[in-house]
């Protein structure tokens, strides 16, 4: 890897967006945020007064700033802790996988953060210089919305790929905010795809074949191969989700830190076992991410402990907290990585992405 390539694959949000430095330098009085396009949501201001730490600040200088933060109050302790987490991630180089890693992001329970996890981890990896494709097979099209991709009824979508054999290359669109991130959008037509797939030949393998053909098309055209593919599933176990399981080699399961999520997990694992036996022997549950964690409640801690006890190798160390910024970002057709890269939610997803890349 050349020096330029290595540079391109470092996590830039901490460098180009100044998250750690602006937080460290601002102390407790302000984060140096300025309005960004599309609304009044904040983004780091270039050269904002009060940040106090320049891009040329040495590592020892940053350490002095962090050490100087008063941790006598809970807010100050949390700020100091987040700043140290950012420092650990700053400039970390994410390795390219030896071959394309295809993840299905699935959980039959709704509202656990499947789409949010898909788009934010994909954005974090793409921002680090890796080539990432998001495939939205949820008829609601929320992943397409979050990535700023048009997905009205007149747009060619993943529906046309599955039902009409349209090449995936004709459907994918680039994310306007993040280079190296592309998306195959979903439209409302997918709502009827479950019924239409029933009568088609090799109905469970159609998405897998489309991805294989797309990979060969990229190679033929001299484009870089994809490093990651993330498939955002609907909250069900129908043919769309089965297609995703057959196309993937790994399953990423977001689990909300509440009791109902544990009930849904057991049924999901049974269905994955059936897929492994009959349709895709290579499928493994490689990653579990705890989401919507509320550190103020004993329940969240108990659910997290129970999941870690049963799946010690799969559960990521990173935990995604409940965050208003994560919830706000889709309304501006953005991920939290671009909407507010200095937020705790963005930091957690960057940590999760780095863990996945280094596994």
């Amino acid at each position: 890897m050349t020096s330029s390539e290595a540079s391109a694959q470092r996590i830039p949000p901490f460098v180009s967006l100044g998250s750690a430095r602006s937080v460290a330098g601002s102390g407790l009085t302000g984060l140096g945020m300025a309005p960004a396009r599309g609304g009044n949501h904040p983004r780091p201001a270039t050269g904002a007064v009060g940040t106090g730490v320049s891009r040329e600040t040495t590592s020892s200088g940053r350490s002095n700033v962090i050490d100087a933060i008063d941790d006598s109050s809970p807010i100050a302790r949390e700020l100091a802790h987040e700043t140290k987490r950012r420092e650990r991630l700053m400039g970390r180089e994410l390795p390219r996988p030896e071959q394309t890693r295809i993840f299905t992001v699935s959980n039959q329970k709704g509202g656990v953060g499947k789409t949010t996890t898909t788009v934010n981890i994909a954005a974090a990896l793409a921002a680090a210089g890796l080539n990432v494709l998001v495939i939205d097979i949820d008829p609601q099209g929320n992943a397409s919305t979050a990535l700023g991709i048009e997905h009205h009824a007149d747009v060619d979508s993943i529906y046309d790929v599955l039902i009409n054999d349209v090449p995936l290359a004709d459907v994918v669109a680039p994310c306007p905010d993040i280079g190296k991130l592309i998306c195959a959008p979903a439209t409302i037509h997918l709502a009827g795809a479950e019924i239409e797939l029933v009568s088609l030949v090799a109905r469970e393998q159609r998405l897998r074949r489309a991805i294989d053909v797309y990979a060969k098309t990229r190679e033929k055209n001299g484009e870089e191969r994809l490093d990651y593919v993330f498939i955002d599933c609907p909250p069900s176990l129908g043919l769309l989700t089965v297609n995703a399981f057959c196309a993937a080699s790994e399953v990423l399961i977001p689990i909300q830190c509440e009791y109902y999520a544990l009930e849904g997990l057991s049924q999901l694992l049974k269905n994955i076992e059936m897929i492994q036996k009959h349709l895709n022997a290579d499928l493994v549950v490689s990653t579990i991410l705890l989401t919507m964690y509320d550190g103020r409640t004993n329940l969240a801690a108990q659910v997290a402990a129970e999941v870690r006890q049963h799946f010690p190798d799969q559960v990521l160390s990173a935990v995604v907290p409940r965050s208003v910024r994560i919830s706000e970002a889709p309304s501006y057709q953005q991920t939290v990585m671009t909407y507010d890269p200095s937020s705790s939610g963005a930091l957690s997803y960057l940590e999760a992405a780095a863990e996945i890349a280094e596994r």
Side-chain angles (χ1 to χ4, degrees):
M1 179 182 297
T2 65
S3 60
S4 61
E5 289 173 334
S7 164
Q9 288 182 224
R10 298 181 190 278
I11 302 179
F14 297 106
V15 178
S16 60
L17 299 175
S19 303
R21 290 171 178 146
S22 58
V23 170
S26 60
L28 303 178
T29 57
L31 297 179
M33 306 301 289
R37 68 163 181 83
N40 58 3
H41 51 287
R43 279 197 180 166
T46 303
V49 176
T51 55
V53 182
S54 71
R55 297 187 186 277
E56 291 75 22
T57 303
T58 63
S59 57
S60 60
R62 290 196 301 270
S63 299
N64 293 336
V65 171
I66 294 171
D67 294 338
I69 293 177
D70 179 16
D71 62 355
S72 59
S73 70
I75 294 177
R77 282 195 296 272
E78 182 65 21
L79 177 61
H81 176 62
E82 285 193 8
T83 303
K84 290 176 182 177
R85 287 164 62 196
R86 295 179 198 283
E87 288 292 329
R88 284 195 293 269
L89 278 175
M90 187 177 294
R92 182 187 295 186
E93 182 181 338
L94 299 187
R96 290 193 68 187
E98 295 180 359
Q99 58 186 13
T100 303
R101 296 177 65 183
I102 305 177
F103 284 85
T104 287
V105 185
S106 179
N107 192 327
Q108 69 187 46
K109 185 180 183 306
V112 298
K114 291 185 296 294
T115 297
T116 300
T117 295
T118 299
V119 298
N120 284 296
I121 288 182
L125 292 169
L130 301 170
N131 297 300
V132 184
L133 165 65
V134 171
I135 298 177
D136 188 0
I137 62 168
D138 186 346
Q140 297 176 91
N142 294 146
S144 307
T145 298
L147 296 177
I149 308 296
E150 288 190 358
H151 59 103
H152 52 77
D154 297 329
V155 172
D156 286 340
S157 69
I158 199 68
Y159 168 86
D160 300 285
V161 174
L162 295 174
I163 305 300
N164 301 324
D165 293 320
V166 172
L168 192 56
D170 295 346
V171 169
V172 296
C175 174
D177 292 324
I178 302 173
K180 300 207 169 210
L181 177 57
I182 56 177
C183 174
T187 60
I188 193 60
H189 297 309
L190 270 179
E194 298 270 3
I195 298 173
E196 295 181 64
L197 280 169
V198 170
S199 61
L200 298 181
V201 176
R203 60 192 181 188
E204 300 94 352
Q205 305 289 340
R206 296 181 77 83
L207 181 58
R208 180 175 190 166
R209 293 180 180 178
I211 293 173
D212 290 342
V213 170
Y214 179 59
K216 292 176 182 176
T217 301
R218 287 179 66 97
E219 183 180 1
K220 181 179 177 181
N221 294 338
E223 299 177 73
E224 292 182 338
R225 71 165 169 83
L226 293 170
D227 296 306
Y228 290 90
V229 177
F230 291 93
I231 306 171
D232 182 35
C233 294
S236 67
L237 295 172
L239 277 173
L240 289 175
T241 302
V242 170
N243 260 272
F245 282 143
C246 291
S249 54
E250 303 180 56
V251 181
L252 192 166
I253 306 177
I255 297 180
Q256 184 180 7
C257 294
E258 293 186 3
Y259 175 74
Y260 286 143
L262 294 179
E263 280 193 332
L265 178 61
S266 60
Q267 183 60 45
L268 175 62
L269 293 175
K270 289 178 183 177
N271 283 279
I272 291 174
E273 189 176 341
M274 290 178 58
I275 298 293
Q276 291 169 329
K277 286 182 179 179
H278 302 291
L279 294 170
N280 184 3
D282 298 327
L283 186 67
V284 295
V285 178
S286 66
T287 310
I288 295 176
L289 177 64
L290 299 172
T291 63
M292 303 184 191
Y293 181 83
D294 188 344
R296 300 169 299 177
T297 66
N298 291 331
L299 176 62
Q302 290 168 358
V303 170
E306 189 168 341
V307 174
R308 290 188 189 280
Q309 180 181 351
H310 285 86
F311 305 98
D313 298 327
Q314 289 84 7
V315 180
L316 297 178
S317 299
V319 175
V320 180
R322 286 192 178 275
S323 169
V324 174
R325 288 304 194 201
I326 293 176
S327 302
E328 287 175 348
S331 64
Y332 294 98
Q333 297 189 342
Q334 294 184 56
T335 66
V336 74
M337 313 306 302
T338 55
Y339 175 72
D340 188 356
S342 66
S343 66
S344 60
L347 173 59
S348 295
Y349 275 119
L350 279 164
E351 290 176 327
E355 274 191 77
I356 289 172
E358 292 172 352
R359 285 189 162 191

